[in-house]
Amino acid sequence: MARKTTKKRVEPSFRKKATARKPNKTTAKSGARRRNSSKSGGSKSRSGSARRKNKSRSLLVRFVKSSVYWCFVLGIWGALAVGGLFAFYGAQMPAADSWEVPKRPPNVKIVALNSQIIANRGATGGEALLLSDMSPFIPQAVIAIEDRRFYSHFGIDPIGLARAMFSNVMAGRTVQGGSTLTQQLAKNLFLSPERTLERKVQEVLLSVWLEHNFTKDQILEMYLNRVYFGSGAYGVQAASRRYFHKPASDVTLSEAALLAGLLKAPSRLSPARNPDAAEARAQVVLGSMSRSGFIDDNQATVALTQPQIRAKSYWSGSENFAADRVMSDLKKVIGEVKEDLIVETTLDLNLQKDAEVILRDTLDQNGKKYAVKEGAIVALDANGAIRILIGGRSYETSQYDRASGAKRQPGSAFKPFVYAAALEQGRTPQSVRNDAPVRINKWTPKNYDQKYRGPVTLTVGLSKSLNTIAAQLVMEVGPKNVAKTARRLGIESKLTPNASISLGTSEVTLLELTSAYAPFMNGGYKATPHIISRVMTTSGRVLYESSFQNPPRVLSTGVVQDMNYMLTEVVRSGTGRKAQIDNWQVAGKTGTSQSFRDALFVGYTANLTMGVWLGNDNGKPTQKVTGGGLPAQIWQKVMTNAHYGVPVASLPRVTVTAPLGEISNINGTDNEPLDLTRDLKPIPNISIESTSSIPIPAQRDQASKPRRQAQIKPQTRSQSAGLTPPGDVGRKSQKSRPDRPKSILDVILGQ
């Protein structure tokens, strides 16, 4: 059977294309299923991602909500804990209505004659000031570096505290503090410096109390008057005088920046200890002031170019010796200091500074050559008011007062008291004694030059500082009477009444020695040394006023006149010639102790009495410094300055004549040049080598009985040795001599 075949239908190509583009239903359905399948898969993946995002978001929201919640809870509990802590420690403090700002430690303001400030003494070292009396740069600098938001916070600065905590955490150490000025004041006023939780809580409570009870300016004022600035200075006034030698009102911008910078570490940054660190810190303060708007860039630039400030390591200036003396005497006149005081002194600050420069320059130029390192100067007026008091070469180096605290042998500067005692018993300046070798017990006094002049007047004996004449006089008068005369005139130290007292072997202070010369210049009246003239409170209430205007008489007029005559001869023609002052009558006496350990010159005019001492603290001998050398030169320079422009005045009844010879034929009355022949008549044929006693000339007072001359054995020149008496001068002999009866000399010496 034949197979039936079919023919394929051939369509045009464009129809095929059209047919290809037009799917059938089956194909369309399968394609739709594939598309739907792919769409459903994409949507599923996208929905999963969304669900994950939503889940993360919800977790974050829940975490934030939980954190906020727990922070809120913890904040409440923390606040309760802090409140409980404050309540606990606050309950242990006194009631707030009983709180009061403690009084600032009292300050003693010491001023000179012309009201110039000598020093401030007390726990603070300076008086309190009003804010308006300070340089405006000081509070600005302190606020800029210590508490920039001082005028906006309530005693505690949360922003500043947070900033300090962040800075400390980032640095890993404490680099900033969060305490405000109010907190620092509270700590200084009420609390101890220990770092405990209790103290910090109390500090906050007290700060809030201060802010509630005082204005911002009052708080700042209290702070600046009490805060420590290093080197013993509390308050801006004390610090300004300590570092800049001027009041706080005159402090410049650069100086204010330095003061403010000290608050971070007062001792370490002090310009007296580390000027470089103080300068670096001051530059930080200036930058902070500029950022805070207190100063502009030009002011900051000018301040940065100022020279570095360096301060002495200790209070400097010889006036501090006087200030120390004031504080020593103040307790005696008013008792304990309980309030701010003003002490008016007798010190002439201009003379003081002149004398300080002269003493220091003299020692700088000659100290090494003559092996002398220290010196002291005292000057008083006729009433004993201290005008100059210099206790040493440099107060900064040594605060030891060698003028009123050190006791030294005065040497021949003690002889005027021997001569005054002799005059009181009837001797005169014309009386003659034999300058010859003598022996008193085991003591053999010798003259400085080891020469002997034979018969001389007492005037010559004193002007040439002859030791043999002084020794004879002390034995005639009696050592005890010499000691009584010296004490009556002003010597307060213990005096040993033996023969060697004539050469000044008993130790005294320069101040008492100088004051004991003052009766010679004031007509015979006691001159009690004093430096305080008046003490009063800052309100003007007088607590003490000196009363030395009517002193007792201690020397007769005749003795004063004779002593003035003899002591002017010391300066005119004797050992004190280097102390002469043009147009002024000058009287005085040189003194040199054993082995040249001490050299002194004490002299006076009708205006002032002044004493100068040179030596070494350790008692080491100088290179032959004598009282007529450097001390007399210093005396002359200081007194020349002191008498500039002062009307010339004469000493009581001093007649300056031609220089006296050792023996001269000068005739005259008691009011005229001395009559030496009267005292030469009793001893017409003296033999120095063989004379066993020297008769006493006629007494001035005819009513008084003449004293017998003590027997003094002469000694040949070959028996003498050395220029100064031995260390055992004046010691009592252990045994009395049985081979002869006691003489008057034995009785005087206690044998």
Side-chain angles (χ1 to χ4, degrees):
M1 176 174 177
R3 180 181 294 181
K4 187 179 180 179
T5 59
T6 58
K7 294 183 179 179
K8 274 188 179 180
R9 187 177 176 184
V10 180
E11 294 182 357
S13 59
F14 68 89
R15 293 286 301 269
K16 289 181 181 179
K17 293 180 180 179
T19 304
R21 287 197 301 268
K22 186 177 180 182
N24 55 25
K25 293 182 178 180
T26 304
T27 304
K29 289 181 180 180
S30 63
R33 284 196 297 269
R34 284 194 299 270
R35 287 193 297 272
N36 291 335
S37 175
S38 64
K39 286 182 179 180
S40 64
S43 63
K44 286 180 181 180
S45 63
R46 284 196 297 273
S47 64
S49 176
R51 284 196 297 272
R52 285 194 297 272
K53 289 182 180 180
N54 291 336
K55 185 177 181 180
S56 298
R57 188 180 296 110
S58 63
L59 289 174
L60 179 62
V61 171
R62 286 198 299 270
F63 175 77
V64 171
K65 290 181 178 179
S66 177
S67 298
V68 171
Y69 171 79
W70 285 111
C71 286
F72 182 73
V73 171
L74 291 176
I76 294 176
W77 283 107
L80 292 175
V82 172
L85 189 67
F86 274 80
F88 175 75
Y89 286 120
Q92 300 180 30
M93 299 176 66
D97 56 3
S98 66
W99 295 355
E100 61 179 8
V101 175
K103 292 183 178 180
R104 190 173 183 266
N107 176 72
V108 179
K109 182 180 179 180
I110 305 170
V111 299
L113 273 175
N114 55 1
S115 299
Q116 289 178 282
I117 295 179
I118 295 175
N120 285 280
R121 286 290 187 268
T124 59
E127 68 268 33
L129 296 179
L130 296 174
L131 201 62
S132 58
D133 293 334
M134 304 175 193
S135 167
F137 294 124
I138 295 177
Q140 291 173 359
V142 171
I143 290 174
I145 196 65
E146 291 291 321
D147 190 357
R148 198 175 302 174
R149 277 178 291 278
F150 171 72
Y151 281 101
S152 60
H153 62 65
F154 57 93
I156 305 168
D157 185 8
I159 299 176
L161 182 61
R163 183 189 69 249
M165 292 178 62
F166 177 78
S167 299
N168 295 337
V169 169
M170 295 300 295
R173 57 188 177 89
T174 303
V175 294
Q176 287 189 16
S179 296
T180 64
L181 291 179
T182 311
Q183 287 177 270
Q184 295 180 42
L185 176 62
K187 179 176 63 177
N188 291 337
L189 289 177
F190 304 103
L191 303 172
S192 64
E194 59 181 352
R195 296 171 177 264
T196 63
L197 180 61
E198 179 181 5
R199 191 201 63 78
K200 197 65 178 179
V201 170
Q202 292 173 346
E203 178 185 301
V204 172
L205 293 174
L206 291 167
S207 300
V208 175
W209 177 82
L210 285 171
E211 292 279 349
H212 178 72
N213 288 274
F214 299 94
T215 65
K216 288 287 186 179
D217 285 349
Q218 288 175 326
I219 292 172
L220 183 59
E221 184 179 289
M222 285 190 287
Y223 177 82
L224 292 175
N225 278 312
R226 295 169 187 258
V227 70
Y228 184 55
F229 286 94
S231 298
Y234 289 84
V236 292
Q237 182 76 326
S240 177
R241 294 196 178 278
R242 173 66 181 85
Y243 299 125
F244 316 130
H245 302 286
K246 58 183 176 182
S249 58
D250 298 336
V251 167
T252 64
L253 173 58
S254 60
E255 293 167 344
L258 185 143
L259 291 180
L262 296 179
L263 299 177
K264 180 180 181 181
S267 298
R268 180 173 59 85
L269 297 175
S270 169
R273 181 177 180 179
N274 193 342
D276 293 334
E279 179 67 19
R281 179 63 177 171
Q283 294 179 7
V284 174
V285 175
L286 289 171
S288 182
M289 292 181 71
S290 179
R291 289 190 297 272
S292 300
F294 289 119
I295 59 175
D296 55 33
D297 293 340
N298 291 333
Q299 288 177 298
T301 302
V302 172
L304 288 171
T305 59
Q306 296 299 309
Q308 188 180 80
I309 297 170
R310 295 178 179 269
K312 300 286 186 180
S313 60
Y314 199 81
W315 294 96
S316 60
S318 65
E319 65 273 12
N320 287 286
F321 287 113
D324 292 345
R325 175 78 186 189
V326 167
M327 295 306 296
S328 175
D329 292 348
L330 186 60
K331 193 173 182 179
K332 300 175 185 177
V333 298
I334 68 165
E336 184 181 357
V337 178
K338 298 181 179 179
E339 57 183 320
D340 285 359
L341 300 177
I342 300 174
V343 179
E344 297 177 353
T345 70
T346 61
L347 200 74
D348 189 318
L349 196 55
N350 294 328
L351 295 184
Q352 176 86 11
K353 292 185 177 298
D354 286 345
E356 177 186 3
V357 172
I358 292 171
L359 175 63
R360 185 175 60 249
D361 289 349
T362 301
L363 291 175
D364 289 344
Q365 296 169 11
N366 302 281
K368 186 175 182 179
K369 177 181 178 181
Y370 292 101
V372 57
K373 296 182 178 180
E374 276 297 347
I377 300 176
V378 170
L380 310 95
D381 70 4
N383 292 320
I386 297 174
R387 302 302 187 198
I388 300 173
L389 180 64
I390 300 176
R393 179 178 191 165
S394 170
Y395 185 85
E396 178 189 359
T397 304
S398 172
Q399 295 79 53
Y400 179 54
D401 184 2
R402 298 157 187 83
S404 61
K407 291 188 177 182
R408 298 291 185 122
Q409 289 185 349
S412 295
F414 193 85
K415 287 178 180 176
F417 310 124
V418 177
Y419 280 78
L423 293 176
E424 287 182 326
Q425 292 194 7
R427 284 78 175 170
T428 70
Q430 307 98 303
S431 298
V432 176
R433 293 295 180 273
N434 194 13
D435 178 22
V438 296
R439 176 185 297 171
I440 303 175
N441 195 19
K442 295 182 179 181
W443 179 40
T444 56
K446 303 169 185 67
N447 295 327
Y448 170 75
D449 56 5
Q450 299 194 48
K451 296 179 180 179
Y452 300 98
R453 295 160 178 79
V456 296
T457 64
L458 297 190
T459 302
V460 172
L462 185 58
S463 67
K464 304 299 183 183
S465 196
L466 302 179
N467 293 338
T468 60
I469 304 301
Q472 292 177 44
L473 288 179
V474 79
M475 299 315 300
E476 292 177 20
V477 175
K480 290 185 179 179
N481 289 327
V482 172
K484 287 180 181 179
T485 300
R487 280 192 288 268
R488 189 171 72 244
L489 268 63
I491 300 295
E492 297 179 350
S493 297
K494 181 181 178 181
L495 300 174
T496 303
N498 56 25
S500 68
I501 194 175
S502 60
L503 304 188
T505 54
S506 294
E507 295 180 340
V508 298
T509 67
L510 180 64
L511 179 60
E512 60 184 329
L513 180 65
T514 306
S515 67
Y517 271 62
F520 299 140
M521 63 88 76
N522 67 17
Y525 296 93
K526 181 73 176 291
T528 303
H530 60 281
I531 195 169
I532 298 176
S533 60
R534 184 166 61 173
V535 180
M536 57 185 180
T537 65
T538 53
S539 62
R541 179 166 55 91
V542 176
L543 303 180
Y544 167 82
E545 195 157 9
S546 63
S547 56
F548 296 97
Q549 301 303 316
N550 297 304
R553 176 175 285 279
V554 292
L555 287 176
S556 66
T557 302
V559 172
V560 170
Q561 293 169 352
D562 288 345
M563 287 301 303
N564 284 337
Y565 179 83
M566 290 192 290
L567 289 172
T568 54
E569 284 299 316
V570 173
V571 177
R572 195 175 67 84
S573 62
T575 58
R577 289 188 295 272
K578 292 183 179 179
Q580 295 177 6
I581 302 176
D582 293 341
N583 303 322
W584 281 86
Q585 287 181 345
V586 176
K589 186 68 186 74
T590 58
T592 308
S593 69
Q594 297 184 39
S595 302
F596 303 98
R597 288 185 175 90
D598 307 278
L600 304 95
F601 183 83
V602 184
Y604 55 91
T605 64
N607 182 41
L608 281 178
T609 301
M610 193 174 87
V612 178
W613 167 85
L614 293 181
N616 296 304
D617 287 339
N618 58 5
K620 185 178 180 180
T622 65
Q623 283 291 341
K624 296 185 178 181
V625 177
T626 64
L630 292 179
Q633 294 174 20
I634 293 172
W635 190 97
Q636 191 272 342
K637 292 177 182 178
V638 175
M639 290 291 269
T640 298
N641 290 346
H643 287 74
Y644 180 79
V646 177
V648 176
S650 299
L651 291 167
R653 277 192 65 187
V654 172
T655 303
V656 179
T657 64
L660 287 174
E662 294 178 1
I663 293 294
S664 305
N665 291 322
I666 301 177
N667 299 316
T669 64
D670 289 342
N671 297 329
E672 296 296 327
L674 304 177
D675 179 9
L676 302 181
T677 58
R678 181 176 60 184
D679 287 329
L680 288 177
K681 291 177 181 178
I683 49 173
N685 297 310
I686 269 189
S687 173
I688 295 177
E689 298 295 328
S690 61
T691 303
S692 60
S693 63
I694 300 176
I696 301 175
Q699 304 287 332
R700 178 194 303 277
D701 186 357
Q702 299 298 325
S704 63
K705 295 181 180 180
R707 293 172 54 90
R708 287 185 60 192
Q709 170 66 38
Q711 189 174 13
I712 304 174
K713 293 185 178 181
Q715 183 182 15
T716 61
R717 189 172 303 181
S718 61
Q719 293 173 299
S720 63
L723 302 180
T724 55
D728 59 349
V729 164
R731 291 183 181 177
K732 295 182 180 180
S733 176
Q734 298 298 323
K735 297 180 180 180
S736 61
R737 293 189 176 185
D739 57 344
R740 63 176 176 83
K742 287 186 177 182
S743 65
I744 295 177
L745 178 60
D746 294 330
V747 174
I748 293 175
L749 293 176
Q751 296 182 350

